[in-house]
Amino acid sequence: MSLPRFDNRFVTELPGDPESGPRRREVAGALWSGVAPTPVPAPQLLAHSAEVAAALGLDAADIADPAFAQVFAGNTLYPGMRPFAANYGGHQFGHWAGQLGDGRAISLGEALGVDGRRHELQLKGAGPTPYSRGADGRAVLRSSIREFLCSEAMHHLGVPTTRALSLVGTGEVVVRDMFYDGDPRPEPGAIVCRVAPSFLRFGSFELPAARGDVALLRQLADFTVRRDFPQLEGQGETLYAEWFGQVCERTAQMVAHWMRVGFVHGVMNTDNMSILGLTIDYGPYGWIDDYDPDWTPNTTDAQGRRYRFGTQPQVAYWNLGRLAQALAPLFAGAAPLQAGLERFREAYVAADRRNTADKLGLAECRDDDLDLLAELRGLMQLGEMDMTLTFRSLIECTPETDTLEPLSAVFYSLDRREEVRARLEQWMRRYATRLREETDSPEQRRERMRRANPRYVLRNYLAQQVIDQAEQGDASGIAELLDVMRRPYDEQPGREAFAQKRPDWARHRAGCSMLSCSS
Ligand code: AMP
Ligand code: MG
């Protein structure tokens, strides 16, 4: 067995809490607390990602070794691991929430992979930490399956994301009140090992800033630039400005991808925004079925719908504003931070134009094309049309298409289809006219569309079916679904069932259209 080497720079180079262990407390002047995972009774490996394992230098034999399930259940450590929980704060639903920290995540260490890259290994659901507040530090199987699958599905879609190495059942029961309605019930517990070069969040910088601890803020900023943005040059304010600008650009690109594939994060609090521009913290996320920019899967956010699909770019920008505020003490004036925020706008507009062209199969995006897509979005909403299927079906259009024939499978309601029929036919003619102006070959156009419009996404009901099965003791569906999501842009003969629109039974079912933060 060849285990990765751990260099654990975060805990070696940055100040930690003098007290270790899980006693709940406010931790000032420190960015982490040493705390070991709490052992579980019966670890059972339910799924793993072969690609992530390979990047760490772990082969099939290493994964089959009982030590693997023990380590990634938190029962034992590989040599070189140094477990800790990170300290951070955050704005939750628009309000400053103070110290939050890793309440149920415990990082085991920073591994150097076979390619020399950094992979922090972090268990989610590993037991209490100083940051657990009133909660148990555990995670249930359903939310762990969702995090495991979506991390990997997003990666294969080309969306920047944290990854998942393993999913381990703990053999322990966890009690959750799924909809906070006074009906707590025991559920099977599980632990995901998530993997990323860094799990630092906007909130990691907000907490020292809110406490007026500028020295600690500066130490963290310097560390982050050195470790996570080594390609940046310059020093002092210039360097910080370039770094912040990069964070803004990466965040813009991440959100543009979400909008392209129909992903709704669900809880875009600043403690859930990665400093690397990775999608992080898969909780009550969801995928758009029938197109609705006002939809959020998160029942905890049902009133304000702050984190609905259509406002994600604005929310990301607002969150960057909170990060800018936190970093302000490192700057003499606000101009460089303003310039960074402007880079978000520019990067988002550029990515949105590229996505518009690619989704419609056009060589370039003209201003009119933005209207063309906006009109289609409006019709998709009115006509209750499936987002993924609509874009994928447009691949079949030709410059001669003037009927709804290519879109026959995308409607959830025939009444709605008839309501939009005339306008949609008109749109199809407009699109066909636009296609006649293209000089690319039809095959080039179709290929461009195939790469921008996935055929397979992790529809909420697909994940829920696998969860139902796993809760009955059969976890085989997890690997099967993961395998489909490995090639989301390819036609996969025999797997058409995974590309269908949401079935009727799933329309209002918990886990399929409604999720809460209880996980
Ligand atoms: P989230 O909404 O999942 O990002 O969580 C917000 C905060 O609550 C983070 O600080 C989490 O660590 C903490 N948290 C959520 N669930 C639990 C739990 N079961 N035990 C301890 N802390 C938790
Ligand atoms: Mg979180």
Side-chain angles (χ1 to χ4, degrees):
M1 179 185 261
S2 77
L3 292 174
R5 188 168 74 77
F6 294 89
D7 74 353
N8 304 329
R9 285 183 64 180
F10 189 72
V11 292
T12 341
E13 297 179 27
L14 291 170
D17 182 359
E19 180 179 336
S20 56
R23 187 183 69 81
R24 318 293 206 266
R25 56 193 182 267
E26 285 283 307
V27 177
L31 294 162
W32 54 273
S33 302
V35 58
T38 303
V40 298
Q44 190 195 352
L45 183 64
L46 300 177
H48 73 279
S49 159
E51 295 91 343
V52 177
L56 290 165
L58 299 171
D59 61 24
D62 297 327
I63 293 160
D65 193 309
F68 185 86
Q70 292 291 335
V71 168
F72 295 104
N75 284 7
T76 173
L77 298 173
Y78 285 148
M81 285 178 162
R82 243 187 103 180
F84 71 94
N87 190 10
Y88 53 81
H91 277 83
Q92 298 187 315
F93 297 95
H95 303 283
W96 175 242
Q99 176 181 301
L100 296 167
D102 288 332
R104 56 170 165 174
I106 295 182
S107 281
L108 298 174
E110 293 170 52
L112 299 173
V114 287
D115 52 3
R117 292 208 198 145
R118 180 170 309 278
H119 303 275
E120 184 171 330
L121 308 181
Q122 184 180 81
L123 302 185
K124 184 165 174 180
T129 77
Y131 311 100
S132 299
R133 292 171 286 162
D136 58 6
R138 293 300 187 192
V140 293
L141 179 62
R142 64 181 151 84
S143 61
S144 305
I145 292 176
R146 285 168 47 82
E147 174 137 22
F148 175 82
L149 282 174
C150 204
S151 311
E152 292 301 289
M154 291 284 267
H155 166 76
H156 294 297
L157 280 163
V159 184
T161 178
T162 62
R163 304 290 302 271
L165 169 65
S166 56
L167 170 70
V168 176
T170 59
E172 192 176 80
V173 153
V174 176
V175 176
R176 288 287 182 274
D177 184 353
M178 202 191 324
F179 286 105
Y180 305 110
D181 58 0
D183 183 23
R185 63 178 184 104
E187 299 187 45
I191 297 176
V192 171
C193 178
R194 9 186 230 191
V195 181
S198 163
F199 285 94
L200 286 167
R201 303 122 191 281
F202 293 4
S204 311
F205 301 86
E206 287 179 279
L207 185 62
R211 288 172 167 168
D213 193 344
V214 178
L216 190 61
L217 173 69
R218 188 180 300 277
Q219 229 180 327
L220 178 61
D222 290 344
F223 172 84
T224 306
V225 171
R226 264 196 328 273
R227 189 191 65 172
D228 299 331
F229 293 79
Q231 72 287 1
L232 294 185
E233 289 172 9
Q235 51 188 316
E237 225 183 89
T238 332
L239 178 59
Y240 293 142
E242 184 50 30
W243 166 52
F244 179 66
Q246 283 249 340
V247 175
C248 291
E249 277 183 18
R250 290 191 193 194
T251 304
Q253 275 143 11
M254 170 189 79
V255 177
H257 276 294
W258 294 357
M259 304 310 285
R260 173 177 66 83
V261 298
F263 174 79
V264 193
H265 182 284
V267 207
M268 291 177 73
N269 293 332
T270 57
D271 55 302
N272 293 340
M273 297 290 295
S274 142
I275 202 72
L276 289 180
L278 306 174
T279 313
I280 189 175
D281 239 337
Y282 292 91
Y285 69 81
W287 292 82
I288 295 282
D289 292 309
D290 53 304
Y291 184 79
D292 179 2
D294 296 327
W295 183 68
T296 173
N298 185 359
T299 52
T300 316
D301 188 25
Q303 286 298 309
R305 292 181 183 251
R306 182 180 175 87
Y307 299 139
R308 59 191 186 270
F309 178 65
T311 53
Q312 294 186 118
Q314 284 93 309
V315 171
Y317 183 81
W318 188 89
N319 288 342
L320 285 163
R322 305 289 70 73
L323 178 62
Q325 215 167 31
L327 300 180
L330 307 180
F331 293 84
L337 291 164
Q338 281 301 342
L341 290 170
E342 196 46 42
R343 279 172 70 177
F344 173 91
R345 280 186 201 284
E346 284 162 14
Y348 188 80
V349 167
D352 186 44
R353 291 187 80 101
R354 216 166 34 245
N355 287 340
T356 299
D358 291 346
K359 288 188 83 69
L360 294 176
L362 308 171
E364 54 159 4
C365 176
R366 306 179 193 158
D367 292 345
D368 276 1
D369 299 330
L370 294 172
D371 299 336
L372 187 66
L373 186 59
E375 195 183 330
L376 176 63
R377 288 183 187 278
L379 292 169
M380 285 198 300
Q381 184 177 11
L382 275 177
E384 262 188 30
M385 296 159 69
D386 188 85
M387 175 176 170
T388 303
L389 286 175
T390 299
F391 283 110
R392 194 75 186 186
S393 304
L394 287 180
I395 298 177
E396 303 316 320
C397 287
T398 69
E400 286 73 45
T401 303
D402 61 355
T403 69
L404 298 193
E405 172 59 27
L407 297 177
S408 54
V410 312
F411 294 92
Y412 282 93
S413 138
L414 297 184
D415 288 350
R416 291 295 197 99
R417 183 188 67 192
E418 292 316 306
E419 262 176 59
V420 293
R421 174 183 287 280
R423 268 180 293 171
L424 195 55
E425 281 172 350
Q426 202 177 19
W427 186 89
M428 297 291 270
R429 286 191 290 273
R430 193 177 156 196
Y431 180 49
T433 309
R434 176 66 179 86
L435 291 183
R436 267 174 247 142
E437 294 161 20
E438 285 292 293
T439 47
D440 280 356
S441 73
E443 192 38 46
Q444 273 174 313
R445 175 176 68 86
R446 286 197 287 266
E447 190 47 32
R448 176 178 290 121
M449 293 176 84
R450 267 183 226 117
R451 286 197 309 264
N453 299 308
R455 172 119 165 91
Y456 301 92
V457 294
L458 189 66
R459 291 178 187 271
N460 314 307
Y461 87 90
L462 290 175
Q464 188 57 42
Q465 283 178 321
V466 163
I467 290 168
D468 291 342
Q469 213 187 342
E471 286 181 343
Q472 298 306 311
D474 175 8
S476 63
I478 305 170
E480 189 190 7
L481 189 51
L482 171 59
D483 203 46
V484 176
M485 296 303 148
R486 270 199 178 96
R487 293 184 295 120
Y489 299 103
D490 293 355
E491 295 295 332
Q492 299 182 40
R495 285 172 161 174
E496 291 76 11
F498 294 92
Q500 304 301 308
K501 64 180 189 234
R502 177 198 58 219
D504 265 350
W505 61 259
R507 193 175 185 110
H508 298 295
R509 226 205 101 175
C512 297
S513 59
M514 298 182 295
L515 291 132
S516 76
C517 285
S518 165
S519 56

